[in-house]
Amino acid sequence: MMLARSTACFARCIRFAAVAGSLCVASVVLRGERPARACSGGEPNIADFTTFDPGVLGDPNLDPVAYDPYIARFGGYRPGGDADALAADWRGYLAGAVGDPDWRKLLFDASPAELATIHRRLAGKSAAIPRGYERSSLWTAAATPATRDKLAAAVAVVRLARDVEPSAVFYEPWDETRVVRPAPAPGLLQAATAGAVASAADPFLAQRYAFQAVRILFYQHDLPGLIKFFEQHAGALAGPSPALTWRAHYYLAGALGHTGQTARASFELSRVHANYPPLAGPAAGDFAPRSDADWRAALGFATTPREQTELWRLVGVKFDGMAAAREILKLDPTSDLLALLVVRELGRAESTASFEFGTSDEIEQRKRARLHALGEVEQLALEIAAIPGADRPWLMNLVAGHIAAVRGELATARARLQLALAAVPGSAVVRSQVKASLSLALVATWKIDAGHERELAQAMTTLDQAYARAGSVRALVRDQLAKLYLAANRLVDAEYLVPGTIDPGDTYGGFYPHPGPLHWAGIGFIKDMIARRANAATEFDRFVVDQPALPTPNLQQELALRYALDGDFAAATQIFDSKVATSGRLEVDPFVTHIKDCRACDERKYAKAPWTHASVIARLAKLAPVANGTGDAAAEAAIQIGNALYNVTSLGNARRVLRYTHQDTFDERPAERWYRRAYQVAKSRELAAKAAYLAAKTERGNLFDTETTDETRSNNDLPQPASWFSKLKPLSDTKYYKDVLKECGTFQAWVKANP
């Protein structure tokens, strides 16, 4: 097993009992661990592509070593992440003499000056009390001489730790704003070593003084001295606090790595990784044997099967989980170190075919690879579950049940999942995972009947809110159901399950409407959508219509706008008057028109216009009776209606009226009908010319909607509206005609081509 090494080295620490890593981070890829950027926003998330929650392991400190190829590996130490454990150590030592809030304030928040004042008072050298500590339970506890002396000794070691902090370094490898900090003063090391000797009879304080000495030596860059001190004071560093024990080992690993003793450093990191979850991520990141010989030497430091399995698990996390798990099984079939590797490998296998990109052969190849990898993990999990005395056999059944569910083997999945749940009935995360996995199995074997619908709805609607894969499971279930209900011509259900299902190519939100006829352009379909939610009688019905992207007020707005586009302004007005539809200020004036359109110009000019969805429709309703009359008044009103209906489309100057609705369209036929009417009833040749030209713009839009391709649309290659240009040409004696000829290049070209 050849292992590579990189040169990106770094250190980490925290405020009180700081931890610094010092080995070089290796960017090694042996089994498909894909390196990724650590970026914010828009990046892939492993939770979006997997449906098994690694939280079933029960330790959030292991999150940094859960499988996730979409972030920079591995997670760093979280400052203050185990503050509760540190506070608990002190609570036990002080036997609860000081209230927990008061001691935590001193331990984590007190400044060096405040600590010095508190220490002098406890030592009987001053009566001063720092501001904010006047009512602290410290002073009540200090009323007893023995407790006062113990508190003074405790505060002394906290003072020393705080004095080391200015030298501690905390940054990530990509941080370019690193601040060079001063080395600890020589006197601090003397105080730490003297304190360790003086506290020999008090293991609690002796360990803390020894730990501070390790820190100081590390930040003084006396790495040989650190190694020597650690070996001389191994007994003091070994307890009673496990947190300090393993932090000290982490410093030791750093010193060993920097002094070229990488094999022993690898061994120390494996022990830290296995025994102290808060440092599992940093230890994995720093683990980097340089060669096969280096690896064999690291194994040589492991004198017990446990230590050997710890090394192998770290190899599994960093390099090859399946191979490492097999090695651990040989050493200890009941090892508690196998669980993390099994869950990691399940995450790796499940996300193998995350993206539908590439050729059909490439996509199919990834799907086959995914099934093969899942099969390997399933075999391993079942093998472990069958071992007498195996660690957490319920977890192995949960993994195997989930894999069966992903493959669509409902009966097998159900049996395995029930075994897992029966073993740990009180676990909320396991209960949610069982429901999620069962849901996947149900949709993979779906039948449109009440039984399937009832069972799926019960599982999906009762998932715990804290379940980490709720989003990905919900998305996958709804996506699969949407396809099935679309195939069954259950269009309303399909659209609620996944908006955009019924009109392929239409981007919900209106950023780029799909040309051509759409289901959403039908009054009947929108009414059916509204009725489906209003009449949701069963739990499955409610699951289907639980679609935040399609709230009922927005659906009512869709219906009103559709009525308006179809010319039924009275019905549209009635909906808005009933206050059931969304209506917002538009910041445009849809009744304004130009020979040469400029959407951005109008949006700037009319940004403070008072028009809303409701007021625009109300205005159209008032104009319609006039427009249906005769003469120039009717022509003027019809042009106003045409202006509004043209401008709200994707080619107009007020497109935000329909934006973010499914009515967003290139279809100019509603506007053309009114411009045509204006042309037909106008007595004034100027009005007729205006109506003809505006109708020509709608003709161009309709041709754009029906006769262009994605390529011609992206190139802005617009067709010529010859039919209405022909009607405008005989009106060449009008001023409007001359204005059009001056401003419109398309019309100029047409006139030249058609003398």
Side-chain angles (χ1 to χ4, degrees):
M1 181 179 63
M2 193 64 182
L3 304 175
R5 178 176 182 265
S6 78
T7 58
C9 301
F10 64 95
R12 306 175 182 89
C13 77
I14 65 167
R15 259 194 114 236
F16 169 50
V19 181
S22 56
L23 289 179
C24 295
V25 181
S27 298
V28 182
V29 181
L30 288 191
R31 190 184 162 86
E33 185 89 33
R34 287 173 281 172
R37 300 183 304 276
C39 302
S40 61
E43 293 296 311
N45 186 325
I46 189 63
D48 295 331
F49 304 117
T50 57
T51 53
F52 190 90
D53 181 9
V56 297
L57 290 168
D59 191 343
N61 287 307
L62 290 176
D63 288 349
V65 291
Y67 178 73
D68 192 343
Y70 304 113
I71 62 172
R73 306 298 287 171
F74 283 86
Y77 185 77
R78 292 173 295 174
D82 58 353
D84 290 343
L86 293 172
D89 284 348
W90 281 104
R91 189 185 311 117
Y93 177 70
L94 297 173
V98 180
D100 196 56
D102 291 334
W103 186 254
R104 290 175 73 100
K105 180 179 179 180
L106 180 148
L107 187 62
F108 300 120
D109 302 325
S111 68
E114 290 169 342
L115 287 170
T117 301
I118 292 170
H119 186 249
R120 284 196 296 271
R121 180 176 177 86
L122 291 172
K125 298 179 180 180
S126 170
I129 297 176
R131 184 176 180 179
Y133 289 83
E134 296 87 353
R135 297 185 178 182
S136 174
S137 55
L138 277 167
W139 317 124
T140 304
T144 304
T147 304
R148 182 175 64 246
D149 293 343
K150 193 170 188 177
L151 283 171
V155 173
V157 74
V158 174
R159 284 186 66 189
L160 176 62
R162 194 62 45 80
D163 288 340
V164 178
E165 284 174 10
S167 305
V169 181
F170 179 72
Y171 58 81
E172 295 292 355
W174 52 84
D175 184 4
E176 298 178 358
T177 61
R178 304 171 188 175
V179 178
V180 177
R181 309 224 178 161
L188 293 179
L189 179 60
Q190 296 171 5
T193 54
V197 172
S199 304
D202 187 333
F204 186 89
L205 294 182
Q207 184 187 25
R208 274 162 169 72
Y209 275 114
F211 178 70
Q212 294 308 320
V214 167
R215 289 182 73 202
I216 293 165
L217 286 164
F218 185 88
Y219 293 119
Q220 286 180 340
H221 306 293
D222 184 2
L223 304 181
L226 186 160
I227 297 169
K228 181 178 179 180
F229 181 89
F230 187 100
E231 292 170 346
Q232 291 175 340
H233 296 82
L237 290 166
S241 169
L244 292 192
T245 297
W246 295 113
R247 290 174 174 178
H249 276 274
Y250 193 35
Y251 276 113
L252 173 63
L256 291 167
H258 274 307
T259 55
Q261 303 177 62
T262 55
R264 184 180 169 194
S266 296
F267 169 68
E268 290 292 343
L269 286 169
S270 71
R271 299 193 66 205
V272 172
H273 180 269
N275 293 284
Y276 193 54
L279 280 175
D286 293 343
F287 181 71
R290 299 180 180 182
S291 64
D292 285 349
D294 206 33
W295 166 246
R296 287 192 295 271
L299 274 175
F301 283 102
T303 59
T304 66
R306 175 68 183 187
E307 291 176 346
Q308 291 175 334
T309 57
E310 289 172 351
L311 261 168
W312 275 113
R313 186 176 77 162
L314 190 46
V315 168
V317 167
K318 193 68 179 286
F319 306 122
D320 191 331
M322 293 299 293
R326 290 295 175 189
E327 293 296 331
I328 293 174
L329 277 175
K330 295 175 188 176
L331 292 164
D332 180 6
T334 64
S335 174
D336 62 346
L337 302 180
L338 286 164
L340 173 62
L341 295 183
V342 172
V343 172
R344 270 183 58 87
E345 291 308 301
L346 173 55
R348 185 197 304 276
E350 196 174 11
S351 62
T352 298
S354 298
F355 299 105
E356 295 292 323
F357 61 86
T359 66
S360 57
D361 287 343
E362 290 170 338
I363 294 172
E364 188 59 33
Q365 184 178 4
R366 284 199 301 273
K367 290 181 178 179
R368 288 196 299 269
R370 179 175 186 257
L371 288 174
H372 176 74
L374 286 170
E376 284 189 317
V377 178
E378 179 185 41
Q379 181 180 351
L380 176 63
L382 292 174
E383 184 177 334
I384 295 171
I387 295 172
D391 173 56
R392 287 171 283 183
W394 61 265
L395 175 59
M396 301 304 149
N397 280 314
L398 188 63
V399 167
H402 180 74
I403 294 172
V406 170
R407 281 202 305 260
E409 299 169 1
L410 179 58
T412 301
R414 198 189 296 277
R416 292 173 180 173
L417 294 171
Q418 287 304 316
L419 283 174
L421 185 59
V424 283
S427 171
V429 66
V430 172
R431 188 164 56 249
S432 285
Q433 185 58 62
V434 167
K435 292 176 181 179
S437 300
L438 182 60
S439 297
L440 298 179
L442 285 168
V443 296
T445 57
W446 191 251
K447 294 180 181 179
I448 300 180
D449 60 40
H452 280 73
E453 291 178 347
R454 183 169 50 251
E455 185 174 11
L456 177 67
Q458 199 283 327
M460 289 299 299
T461 58
T462 58
L463 281 178
D464 192 285
Q465 293 298 313
Y467 173 59
R469 294 298 187 270
S472 59
V473 172
R474 175 185 166 90
L476 183 57
V477 166
R478 294 181 75 90
D479 183 67
Q480 294 299 318
L481 288 179
K483 294 174 183 176
L484 292 167
Y485 280 78
L486 177 63
N489 204 35
R490 298 270 291 271
L491 301 185
V492 168
D493 283 356
E495 187 69 3
Y496 264 119
L497 287 162
V498 179
T501 296
I502 64 167
D503 287 327
D506 177 37
T507 302
Y508 179 72
F511 294 107
Y512 193 79
H514 176 56
L518 300 172
H519 291 87
W520 275 98
I523 293 289
F525 176 77
I526 302 172
K527 284 185 173 181
D528 288 344
M529 290 288 290
I530 295 170
R532 181 71 172 94
R533 175 171 281 150
N535 299 320
T538 69
E539 192 173 14
F540 181 76
D541 291 340
R542 291 186 287 275
F543 169 71
V544 169
V545 301
D546 180 19
Q547 181 52 261
L550 298 172
T552 297
N554 287 25
L555 294 177
Q556 291 285 358
Q557 183 195 68
E558 297 258 6
L559 181 59
L561 294 174
R562 189 67 251 167
Y563 271 127
L565 291 171
D566 287 352
D568 192 344
F569 304 130
T573 301
Q574 185 178 4
I575 292 174
F576 281 117
D577 286 347
S578 66
K579 308 299 182 183
V580 296
T582 300
S583 175
R585 197 165 72 85
L586 302 172
E587 299 178 346
V588 290
D589 187 338
F591 295 97
V592 174
T593 191
H594 312 278
I595 292 173
K596 189 173 183 178
D597 291 328
C598 179
R599 175 183 59 83
C601 302
D602 279 8
E603 288 180 352
R604 287 193 299 268
K605 185 174 181 179
Y606 301 105
K608 295 183 179 180
W611 293 106
T612 65
H613 293 90
S615 65
V616 167
I617 300 303
R619 172 67 174 157
L620 293 175
K622 290 181 179 179
L623 287 169
V626 180
N628 283 319
T630 59
D632 287 347
E636 287 278 14
I639 286 174
Q640 286 289 300
I641 296 174
N643 290 345
L645 296 182
Y646 167 79
N647 278 327
V648 300
T649 69
S650 288
L651 297 179
N653 296 323
R655 64 187 69 175
R656 62 178 56 182
V657 176
L658 299 184
R659 188 65 81 199
Y660 308 115
T661 77
H662 291 90
Q663 307 315 313
D664 194 6
T665 182
F666 292 111
D667 184 4
E668 307 290 352
R669 287 173 299 174
E672 185 179 15
R673 284 193 291 269
W674 290 99
Y675 286 140
R676 183 183 297 277
R677 175 160 184 76
Y679 176 81
Q680 292 170 342
V681 301
K683 300 298 184 183
S684 164
R685 289 176 64 79
E686 288 290 342
L687 281 178
K690 185 174 185 179
Y693 175 71
L694 295 176
K697 291 204 296 185
T698 66
E699 180 185 356
R700 181 187 61 178
N702 290 327
L703 292 171
F704 184 84
D705 188 34
T706 58
E707 296 186 8
T708 58
T709 64
D710 288 339
E711 182 178 356
T712 56
R713 283 190 292 272
S714 63
N715 293 333
N716 209 26
D717 186 7
L718 302 180
Q720 287 192 347
S723 176
W724 277 105
F725 276 175
S726 296
K727 292 180 174 61
L728 176 60
K729 188 177 179 183
L731 300 168
S732 59
D733 60 327
T734 63
K735 180 181 181 298
Y736 195 87
Y737 175 95
K738 294 179 176 62
D739 290 341
V740 171
L741 189 62
K742 180 180 178 180
E743 294 185 35
C744 179
T746 303
F747 185 58
Q748 292 170 10
W750 184 86
V751 169
K752 289 180 181 180
N754 298 272

